[in-house]
Amino acid sequence: MLGVAVFYYWPIVKNIITSFQQTNAFGGDPQFVGLDNYKSLFAEPEIGSAIGNTLLYTLILLIGVPLSVAIASMVELPGLRGKSVYRMIYFLPYLAMPMAVAQVWKVLYNGNFGLINQFLRVVGVDDPPYWIVTPGFAIVAVSVFGLWCSIGFNVIILSSGLKGIPRELYEAASIDGATGVKQFRWVTVPLLTPSIFFLSITTTIGGFQLFDALFAMIGRGNPAEPKTRSLVSLFYRQAFVDSNQGAGAATAIVILLFVAIVTVIQFIGQKKWVNYV
């Protein structure tokens, strides 16, 4: 409890205090400014697009949860050989360094010679977009990269959940005439809902913390960068580029509140669809 208090709760308390203060890059005593940092944050012209980009990224990541359910179900099919190999293949992207893998994806997204645009030209798209330098397309490109990175972790969690489903339930469903699709719909999915709920929570929190993928793929000096910022990249600019720790702390508190509100809503809603056996 002492470790949790020192390394988790005290930084949160300190951040709340700092969010009501004005600081500068040259040190000195911070000045109490009340809610001015919060007012300045919501007056920022970028705040709307930052919230929208963060929500879009989170929603695209959440698409990976049902996709992972389908993949995990195929990996765990009874009688399938080489299951450990398939698990390893799907889990490897999660283990890879995001900054290094992002460089590979930047090459794939290259507007002139990238593999994605070459494929689009082959199938008849004459003028494919320049993915990571075009506002609008850039955040979608980063989101697809984030989705690809998250699939492996999801599959491992769901595979563990699938192992906990008794085979007798499938045998009983088969006796009742349920086919493979019906068994998936009425046995697999309901009994996987605790794992699906867990992944929904962790994916949402991870989506609201979007920064490293943007920093690696978009970077600074990119024409799409001003329209592709997330809430955390806004925090980074305020706290570490502009050296305005008070404004950065206020942004961090807003992110914390967003995550807390969405998480509470998810916990309330899970009572209607999560089945704990």
Side-chain angles (χ1 to χ4, degrees):
M1 289 299 297
L2 179 61
V4 171
V6 170
F7 294 105
Y8 283 89
Y9 292 115
W10 169 242
I12 294 175
V13 172
K14 179 62 176 175
N15 199 72
I16 294 172
I17 295 171
T18 305
S19 70
F20 296 108
Q21 297 174 337
Q22 178 67 48
T23 59
N24 58 68
F26 302 102
D29 294 331
Q31 305 284 326
F32 180 78
V33 293
L35 296 174
D36 287 356
N37 288 325
Y38 292 93
K39 293 177 182 177
S40 299
L41 171 63
F42 286 102
E44 283 260 10
E46 306 164 357
I47 185 65
S49 63
I51 293 174
N53 291 333
T54 302
L55 291 175
L56 177 61
Y57 180 82
T58 304
L59 289 173
I60 292 178
L61 283 193
L62 286 171
I63 294 174
V65 176
L67 180 61
S68 301
V69 172
I71 294 173
S73 298
M74 290 187 288
V75 169
E76 296 299 327
L77 282 173
L80 180 67
R81 296 182 178 180
K83 291 183 180 182
S84 59
V85 175
Y86 289 117
R87 293 192 200 106
M88 181 187 67
I89 290 172
Y90 281 109
F91 193 60
L92 276 177
Y94 183 76
L95 297 177
M97 294 178 61
M99 301 295 281
V101 178
Q103 304 309 312
V104 178
W105 276 80
K106 287 178 70 173
V107 175
L108 293 176
Y109 279 129
N110 186 279
N112 294 318
F113 56 81
L115 185 63
I116 294 174
N117 277 7
Q118 289 188 28
F119 172 77
L120 291 176
R121 292 187 182 99
V122 168
V123 298
V125 180
D126 295 328
D127 190 21
Y130 285 74
W131 295 97
I132 58 176
V133 296
T134 306
F137 285 108
I139 186 62
V140 175
V142 173
S143 301
V144 172
F145 166 68
L147 174 64
W148 177 82
C149 290
S150 67
I151 291 291
F153 176 76
N154 295 353
V155 168
I156 293 298
I157 296 297
L158 292 166
S159 295
S160 299
L162 285 167
K163 291 178 183 177
I165 300 177
R167 298 307 307 171
E168 293 80 4
L169 295 178
Y170 291 103
E171 293 171 3
S174 179
I175 293 172
D176 289 339
T179 61
V181 175
K182 289 184 178 180
Q183 290 179 16
F184 177 79
R185 169 66 181 85
W186 297 109
V187 178
T188 303
V189 173
L191 294 179
L192 268 185
T193 49
S195 298
I196 294 172
F197 174 63
F198 169 76
L199 289 176
S200 299
I201 294 290
T202 57
T203 300
T204 301
I205 294 173
F208 274 94
Q209 294 175 342
L210 167 65
F211 175 73
D212 53 351
L214 277 179
F215 191 81
M217 296 190 68
I218 305 301
R220 302 175 66 180
N222 188 321
E225 191 269 337
K227 294 292 185 181
T228 317
R229 288 174 182 158
S230 67
L231 284 170
V232 178
S233 57
L234 192 61
F235 155 79
Y236 171 80
R237 179 178 62 80
Q238 293 169 333
F240 298 104
V241 178
D242 299 339
S243 298
N244 190 343
Q245 295 179 5
T251 305
I253 294 300
V254 169
I255 297 171
L256 175 64
L257 291 176
F258 269 125
V259 172
I261 291 170
V262 173
T263 302
V264 168
I265 293 172
Q266 287 177 310
F267 267 96
I268 293 173
Q270 60 97 18
K271 297 178 182 178
K272 298 181 178 181
W273 63 276
V274 178
N275 301 293
Y276 294 101
V277 179

